[in-house]
Amino acid sequence: MASRKSPSRKSPARPAKRAGGKAPVARKASPKRGAARATTSALTLPTLHESTTSSGLKVIAAERGPLPMVSVRLVIRAGSATDPDGKHGLADFTARLLRRGTRRLNAQAIDEAVEFVGASLGVGVSEDTLSVALTTPSEHFAQMLDILGQLVREPTFPQSEVDDARERELAQFANDLDDPSIIADRAMVRALWGNHPYGHDVGGSSKTVKTFTRDDVVRFHQERMGPKVSMLIVVGAVDPQRVAAAAEDAFADWTGGPDAPVAIPAPERIALGGRVIIVDKPDQTQSQVRLGGPGMRMGHEDYFPATAMNIALGGGFTSRLMNEIRVNRGLTYGVSSWFDSMNAAGVFALSTFTKTESTREIIDVALAEIGGVREKGLKPRELADAQAYLAGLYPLRTETNESIAGSIAEARLHGLGDDWVERFRDRLRAVTPKQVVAAAKKYCFAQAPAVVVLGKADVVKKQLKGLGPITVVPASEYE
């Protein structure tokens, strides 16, 4: 649930969290009609061909036509959870600098080489991984893979680029203070995770970023990024044998990094469960509201019943939360709930906003709706609609080379099994009402959630009495 992530970062499972004001009453639309048409054919992935470079990099190739394009994803287990103490945001900062120069190419030469062949190259960081994504015409695959290899093998991190990147990041943090949704998200991350490795914004904070030096970046690259904690996924119109040969050429002399991924422990509890954090922003006429409690790691046995349950509760436009809070009461334009599942653990959270005067009302209504599902589960029709809706959307994960590469990376990263995509809809449809009830009792705030409200503290504080001990902090605390 980190609030600032690069464009290629996760999370496709989380809905957008911004908006404002009172909503017009919307006509309910059933999402399952289009979904039913999308579920008629079986989902299959291309055959996976695996190899390993002499440096220890795992390579997975999937040949797929007919378009003469190739998508590449290099996934390194060096996400923000591996940031050193006192250097939160360093993984993200390092990733942004990878394409600012190598021993053979400066930043401009890299940009020109990529643009000349009609390719695209980007980086992204999540809590668990640092990724480099490449899309290229097939005929230029080997050339572009060589450039990708240079980025991770021999980046130079020029001092001028480090200084410029630091200034850009600090300016962005200052600008973020004007976005109440971003600040509320950051406050929620800290409230949920505390001092856990997942407990800070992927981009860090102005306090940590201003301390970054070139030596910090070089050390992170040498100590955290290496072939033995990475995997290369290639999907598209390219022969798997050619992929293996090109990967060996591009990564054979890649050294550094650990022999095994950094172990991230599961937290014992939600850091500020049962407590209320008010982020004071006196100029606000609305309150940003976040509620959060324990969730699950990716691949947990509760994944399918919990996911189906959440679609009906707060994961869609016709969900219970949307119907009651937006349609029936007009308290907001948007409300959503979701599971944010990482490799070590996860959370269940809710996000919404409302005018200052209705802050307590929207919290009480949300808790009542969540409590209703916790106590009684879903109606059979609600579960069936949720299953049909999600089953209908899931084939989008296999429509493009990029989405297939992402699905393969996700399955391997979290140990989901290579049949995860093919069996996803069958496992989803097999969820029973009894399993949903069990999941709801476990995850729908069985214990008091952490509550974060960003808004006018002197007005909302008295509204929030009875929800737990209250702490007021200035918005600048989250810059």
Side-chain angles (χ1 to χ4, degrees), residues 79-96:
S80 65
T82 69
D83 287 336
D85 290 341
K87 298 290 182 177
H88 292 164
L90 188 57
D92 182 65
F93 192 74
T94 302
R96 293 171 185 269

Side-chain angles (χ1 to χ4, degrees), residues 57-304:
L57 173 66
K58 295 182 183 300
V59 181
I60 303 170
E63 188 172 6
R64 180 177 186 266
L67 295 178
M69 297 294 292
V70 180
S71 291
V72 180
R73 184 170 297 196
L74 178 67
V75 181
I76 308 170
R77 292 177 183 260
S80 65
T82 69
D83 287 336
D85 290 341
K87 298 290 182 177
H88 292 164
L90 188 57
D92 182 65
F93 192 74
T94 302
R96 293 171 185 269
L97 287 165
L98 286 177
R99 62 178 297 170
R100 305 313 299 164
T102 71
R103 292 177 187 172
R104 287 179 275 172
L105 299 171
N106 61 24
Q108 182 178 348
I110 293 171
D111 291 342
E112 290 176 352
V114 172
E115 293 171 5
F116 182 75
V117 302
S120 63
L121 180 65
V123 298
V125 175
S126 70
E127 291 87 349
D128 290 317
T129 63
L130 185 159
S131 301
V132 185
L134 166 71
T135 298
T136 178
S138 302
E139 61 181 309
H140 301 293
F141 165 69
Q143 174 192 355
M144 289 297 100
L145 191 66
D146 179 69
I147 290 178
L148 192 158
Q150 290 184 51
L151 299 189
V152 297
R153 289 193 336 264
E154 50 190 44
T156 53
F157 303 121
Q159 184 65 57
S160 61
E161 296 285 359
V162 174
D163 294 340
D164 289 346
R166 187 193 309 111
E167 292 306 310
R168 286 194 300 270
E169 286 293 286
L170 293 175
Q172 185 61 57
F173 281 118
N175 290 339
D176 287 347
L177 286 176
D178 293 328
D179 190 325
S181 181
I182 288 178
I183 301 305
D185 286 345
R186 288 183 185 160
M188 193 71 218
V189 168
R190 291 195 202 175
L192 291 171
W193 297 105
N195 293 324
H196 188 271
Y198 291 153
H200 62 273
D201 188 282
V202 165
S205 66
S206 60
K207 179 179 179 180
T208 58
V209 170
K210 68 177 57 174
T211 72
F212 289 171
T213 66
R214 181 179 181 277
D215 287 344
D216 291 330
V217 175
V218 170
R219 187 178 303 111
F220 185 91
H221 172 258
Q222 292 175 340
E223 295 180 356
R224 293 285 192 258
M225 299 174 61
K228 295 181 180 178
V229 292
S230 304
M231 59 181 166
L232 181 74
I233 298 110
V234 180
V235 179
V238 60
D239 182 84
Q241 292 185 345
R242 184 183 171 206
V243 171
E248 178 63 23
D249 291 341
F251 298 98
D253 59 351
W254 188 16
T255 60
D259 290 332
V262 175
I264 306 299
E268 294 182 0
R269 57 183 176 81
I270 292 298
L272 297 181
R275 303 183 67 88
V276 179
I277 303 298
I278 300 177
V279 182
D280 188 24
K281 218 168 182 323
D283 59 335
Q284 294 298 294
T285 59
Q286 293 184 337
S287 294
Q288 290 283 333
V289 175
R290 307 289 186 268
L291 309 175
M296 74 200 81
R297 60 173 173 77
M298 189 63 190
H300 191 279
E301 61 183 5
D302 292 334
Y303 176 85
F304 287 99

Side-chain angles (χ1 to χ4, degrees), residues 261-418:
V262 175
I264 306 299
E268 294 182 0
R269 57 183 176 81
I270 292 298
L272 297 181
R275 303 183 67 88
V276 179
I277 303 298
I278 300 177
V279 182
D280 188 24
K281 218 168 182 323
D283 59 335
Q284 294 298 294
T285 59
Q286 293 184 337
S287 294
Q288 290 283 333
V289 175
R290 307 289 186 268
L291 309 175
M296 74 200 81
R297 60 173 173 77
M298 189 63 190
H300 191 279
E301 61 183 5
D302 292 334
Y303 176 85
F304 287 99
T307 298
M309 177 271 294
N310 182 65
I311 291 294
L313 172 60
F317 193 73
T318 58
S319 67
R320 286 194 185 188
L321 287 168
M322 186 68 82
N323 283 336
E324 186 60 29
I325 293 175
R326 172 178 167 148
V327 177
N328 294 340
R329 297 177 184 251
L331 294 173
T332 186
Y333 273 118
V335 57
S336 58
S337 60
W338 69 93
F339 285 94
D340 193 11
S341 298
M342 278 81 80
N343 204 42
V347 294
F348 173 64
L350 174 143
S351 172
T352 190
F353 60 92
T354 191
K355 59 183 183 292
T356 301
E357 293 75 16
S358 56
T359 301
R360 180 58 183 265
E361 181 183 2
I362 203 169
I363 292 174
D364 287 345
V365 174
L367 290 174
E369 290 300 314
I370 294 171
V373 173
R374 182 179 65 246
E375 296 304 318
K376 298 182 180 179
L378 302 178
K379 298 176 181 177
R381 178 61 182 271
E382 286 181 304
L383 174 57
D385 285 354
Q387 289 167 314
Y389 174 61
L390 189 54
L393 288 179
Y394 195 75
L396 297 176
R397 301 292 297 272
T398 62
E399 281 198 341
T400 66
N401 292 339
E402 293 91 339
S403 60
I404 291 174
S407 294
I408 295 170
E410 180 181 65
R412 290 300 179 95
L413 176 67
H414 300 296
L416 305 179
D418 288 343

